[in-house]
Amino acid sequence: MITVAALVASMGLGAVAPAEAASESVGRTDKAHGFASLEGGTTGGAGGKVVTVTTQADLERYAAAEEPYVIRVAGTIKAEPFGANVVVASDKTIIGVGTTGELVQGELHLTPGTHNVIIRNLTIRDSYVEGDWDCKDTDFDGVQMDTVHHVWIDHNRFSRICDGQLDIRKDSEYVTVSYNRFENNNKTFGIGWTPNVKTQITIDHNWFRGTKQRNPSADNCAYAHLYNNYMTAQVDPGDPVWTYGNWSRGRTKMVIENSYYEDVQHPYQADATAELVQRGSILKNTTGRHETWGAAFDPRDFYAYRLDPAAAVPALVSRFSGPQPHHSTATPPSLDPEEESRS
């Protein structure tokens, strides 16, 4: 494993203090962290059978089952009809095999009451409707969840989705979103759609590139902790002025730490009713709104975490975000390899 300290040294950035370097994992851990680790934690399908799926029918069958499953997605599954929902029930891990597990032109959909779900190491792509940049007449998300709890979205790649790549909605709680790549999209990552102030969410080590807005947009979140994220090269040929990064909306309390913004318009902003604390981030060639006010909260009151230096974020996140070849090779805890079945 390459440590953060070694990677920083290779970049010529000098020594990194041990307290600053999250070298124990570099995103390789199989255990949820942040808010998804609290109140019983998030273990997904651990304790259930391991199955490997190659078809939409089998993915739908195991994802919607009542019992726990670890579902390994091997190769590309193309959903039919275009934009089809794959319903994901509680106590599931859905994980791509190697770096080639894909869901194309489909959505993973978590309905109210769903809990304890892990989605890892997948590419979810190409439900974009050509010529419909705003996607106002469709609801083809990459992952959508309503009123759920304990969900970990980790090491996935989202590309060309219509409408949201990741929508966390309607009082969902105890969510962590880590080491994902969000690419080539308009409405990227929204949180909220509720007048209540309940959601607790950790967002770390994600790469947002070629995305116009909602990176994320967090509306009425009780606590939104963003750290070590990397945002680059926002685009919208039709509206080059109004693109934005992180938005603390409604009554959200947001904390941003040690992130890196490059070529971003309106990097972070807050409604007058919200709170936003920013510390330690690097801004390169940014313009527009850089708003902070209020005290927000202290994430360490809820969980322990270690920050990577902001200067190391581009190298770390560009290398270690998205699907990784090793994540699907380890047998989840408490599972006997002989129990694995193949659909």
Side-chain angles (χ1 to χ4, degrees), residues 302-342:
F302 296 92
Y303 51 80
Y305 63 100
R306 299 174 69 179
L307 291 170
D308 293 319
V313 164
L316 286 170
V317 173
S318 61
R319 179 165 184 173
F320 294 109
S321 63
Q324 303 290 310
H326 56 270
H327 279 314
S328 58
T329 59
T331 302
S334 76
L335 290 176
D336 183 343
E338 295 182 357
E339 290 183 358
E340 179 172 355
S341 61
R342 179 172 294 274

Side-chain angles (χ1 to χ4, degrees), residues 1 11-12 64 79 85 108 179 240 279 299 316 337:
M1 184 186 301
M11 297 167 60
N85 287 348
L108 297 179
Y179 287 93
R279 48 182 174 255
L316 286 170

Side-chain angles (χ1 to χ4, degrees), residues 235-314:
V235 294
D236 180 358
D239 182 10
V241 175
W242 181 245
T243 61
Y244 71 86
N246 313 139
W247 193 342
S248 182
R249 307 180 73 160
R251 289 179 287 165
T252 293
K253 293 182 178 180
M254 178 180 288
V255 174
I256 301 171
E257 299 182 285
N258 287 28
S259 293
Y260 197 105
Y261 303 82
E262 184 173 3
D263 301 321
V264 176
Q265 298 168 349
H266 308 296
Y268 44 83
Q269 58 194 299
D271 290 352
T273 53
E275 299 181 31
L276 193 158
V277 169
Q278 190 286 127
R279 48 182 174 255
S281 298
I282 291 175
L283 293 92
K284 182 178 179 181
N285 191 29
T286 65
T287 58
R289 298 170 68 174
H290 305 67
E291 299 169 354
T292 61
W293 46 68
F297 66 103
D298 184 352
R300 297 187 194 280
D301 288 342
F302 296 92
Y303 51 80
Y305 63 100
R306 299 174 69 179
L307 291 170
D308 293 319
V313 164

Side-chain angles (χ1 to χ4, degrees), residues 11-336:
M11 297 167 60
L13 297 174
V16 179
E20 295 178 305
S23 56
E24 73 278 5
S25 64
V26 195
R28 297 172 72 113
T29 178
D30 290 325
K31 185 177 180 181
H33 61 280
F35 279 113
S37 70
L38 304 182
E39 298 296 323
T42 304
T43 57
K49 290 184 178 180
V50 180
V51 296
T52 299
V53 301
T54 59
T55 68
Q56 179 180 352
D58 285 330
L59 175 59
E60 290 176 338
R61 170 191 169 193
Y62 290 114
E66 292 185 3
E67 60 267 36
Y69 276 103
V70 175
I71 304 164
R72 302 171 75 243
V73 177
T76 298
I77 294 177
K78 187 175 182 180
E80 298 288 352
F82 190 95
N85 287 348
V86 175
V87 175
V88 182
S90 300
D91 304 318
K92 300 295 183 296
T93 296
I94 301 178
I95 186 165
V97 175
T99 58
T100 61
E102 295 188 313
L103 177 63
V104 177
Q105 70 183 38
E107 172 185 310
L108 297 179
H109 189 85
L110 283 63
T111 58
T114 302
H115 58 276
N116 193 31
V117 171
I118 297 173
I119 299 171
R120 297 189 86 193
N121 224 54
L122 281 174
T123 291
I124 303 175
R125 62 175 175 87
D126 290 329
S127 62
Y128 173 68
V129 178
E130 292 295 338
D132 187 11
W133 177 244
D134 286 333
C135 299
K136 292 186 180 296
D137 298 323
T138 62
D139 192 22
F140 300 154
D141 295 332
V143 177
Q144 183 184 111
M145 59 191 80
D146 289 346
T147 324
V148 304
H149 64 92
H150 290 93
V151 177
W152 184 25
I153 308 294
D154 179 69
H155 278 96
N156 303 288
R157 181 173 75 92
F158 298 87
S159 181
R160 290 174 51 84
I161 301 293
C162 190
D163 103 296
Q165 294 188 329
L166 175 59
D167 279 1
I168 298 171
R169 317 188 324 170
K170 300 179 181 177
D171 302 339
S172 295
E173 296 188 89
Y174 300 107
V175 179
T176 296
V177 178
S178 55
Y179 287 93
N180 301 283
R181 292 190 179 194
F182 297 94
E183 303 172 347
N184 307 318
N185 219 71
N186 181 2
K187 302 170 185 176
T188 308
F189 177 4
I191 312 161
W193 290 271
T194 175
N196 303 316
V197 184
K198 294 188 66 173
T199 298
Q200 313 92 346
I201 188 165
T202 302
I203 302 165
D204 70 280
H205 294 91
N206 301 284
W207 189 2
F208 300 85
R209 61 176 183 173
T211 55
K212 173 180 169 60
Q213 58 181 314
R214 301 183 185 175
N215 295 294
S217 166
D219 188 20
N220 285 336
C221 289
Y223 306 108
H225 182 205
L226 287 62
Y227 68 94
N228 288 146
N229 295 295
Y230 183 33
M231 185 171 298
T232 60
Q234 293 176 284
V235 294
D236 180 358
D239 182 10
V241 175
W242 181 245
T243 61
Y244 71 86
N246 313 139
W247 193 342
S248 182
R249 307 180 73 160
R251 289 179 287 165
T252 293
K253 293 182 178 180
M254 178 180 288
V255 174
I256 301 171
E257 299 182 285
N258 287 28
S259 293
Y260 197 105
Y261 303 82
E262 184 173 3
D263 301 321
V264 176
Q265 298 168 349
H266 308 296
Y268 44 83
Q269 58 194 299
D271 290 352
T273 53
E275 299 181 31
L276 193 158
V277 169
Q278 190 286 127
R279 48 182 174 255
S281 298
I282 291 175
L283 293 92
K284 182 178 179 181
N285 191 29
T286 65
T287 58
R289 298 170 68 174
H290 305 67
E291 299 169 354
T292 61
W293 46 68
F297 66 103
D298 184 352
R300 297 187 194 280
D301 288 342
F302 296 92
Y303 51 80
Y305 63 100
R306 299 174 69 179
L307 291 170
D308 293 319
V313 164
L316 286 170
V317 173
S318 61
R319 179 165 184 173
F320 294 109
S321 63
Q324 303 290 310
H326 56 270
H327 279 314
S328 58
T329 59
T331 302
S334 76
L335 290 176
D336 183 343

